[in-house]
Amino acid sequence: VTATTVGYGDVSVTTQRGRLWAVFHIVLSVCGLADILATNSRITKERSDALAQMRQLNRRLDPNLVETLLQHAKTLRPYMERDGEGLHDLEFAFAMLIELGIISHKQVKPFLKLFHKMDIDGNGRVGRGDLKTMLQGAEPVEVPLIPVNVGASCSPELRRHTSVSLSRAVDQTGTA
């Protein structure tokens, strides 16, 4: 009632100066109240997210969790042939982040595509050798886009036979 200057009609603003003050008072009061409500909503959301994360961190491994995390990993890397033994550490971390809603498949996919572009030698890793190859202007090696057994290490020759070529990772100047 006081913040919006709405009263019971027993007292009213009659001067021009008083009306000008009432306009500023109303605007500031409404903005202040909106800020308080927004802050409260944000804090409530942050607390809810933190509690969900704590529940996931304290959760015991069960068949339902394993299946959910495996499904996230399969969605992220559908070309990978799985041996049924489970997830690697980074797959587990990404799947948990997706399960918590911190990141989404849509946010991760472009980085996986970029990884495959930068993996010039096709060994499943990005490193100094790929950088050296890119700077020398060599043609990119074909990168696997069909199932590859996670548990087995494939030679680059085998990968070349079971892959589709990606576009060149660097332009003529050697920049990414």
Side-chain angles (χ1 to χ4, degrees), residues 29-135:
S29 297
V30 169
C31 289
L33 182 61
D35 185 52
I36 289 169
L37 293 174
T39 300
N40 185 40
S41 177
R42 180 182 49 80
I43 290 170
T44 301
K45 173 80 170 104
E46 287 174 0
R47 184 174 188 276
S48 174
D49 291 347
L51 288 172
Q53 184 175 359
M54 288 304 298
R55 279 192 299 275
Q56 284 292 74
L57 289 172
N58 292 324
R59 187 175 175 184
R60 292 194 177 271
L61 196 59
D62 61 52
N64 189 27
L65 177 61
V66 170
E67 287 307 313
T68 301
L69 297 179
L70 278 170
Q71 190 57 47
H72 287 307
K74 287 175 186 176
T75 303
L76 284 174
R77 298 165 67 177
Y79 56 87
M80 299 291 290
E81 184 179 304
R82 305 220 167 253
D83 58 10
E85 295 298 317
L87 302 166
H88 294 287
D89 55 352
L90 291 178
E91 288 177 320
F92 176 82
F94 272 104
M96 288 295 279
L97 290 171
I98 291 168
E99 184 66 15
L100 285 168
I102 295 172
I103 60 173
S104 69
H105 295 107
K106 187 178 177 181
Q107 292 170 312
V108 176
K109 287 272 188 185
F111 293 101
L112 291 172
K113 286 181 181 180
L114 178 63
F115 172 86
H116 289 295
K117 270 186 168 179
M118 292 179 168
D119 183 18
I120 301 298
D121 61 10
N123 68 356
R125 300 173 79 174
V126 173
R128 292 183 189 103
D130 297 302
L131 177 62
K132 184 178 177 183
T133 303
M134 286 187 338
L135 293 176

Side-chain angles (χ1 to χ4, degrees), residues 134-135 170-176:
M134 286 187 338
L135 293 176
V170 288
D171 61 18
Q172 300 295 15
T173 62
T175 58

Side-chain angles (χ1 to χ4, degrees), residues 130-160:
D130 297 302
L131 177 62
K132 184 178 177 183
T133 303
M134 286 187 338
L135 293 176
Q136 291 173 350
E139 290 295 318
V141 175
E142 308 206 356
V143 179
L145 295 177
I146 63 172
V148 174
N149 189 337
V150 175
S153 57
C154 284
S155 68
E157 295 79 29
L158 178 59
R159 287 176 184 256
R160 270 187 232 113

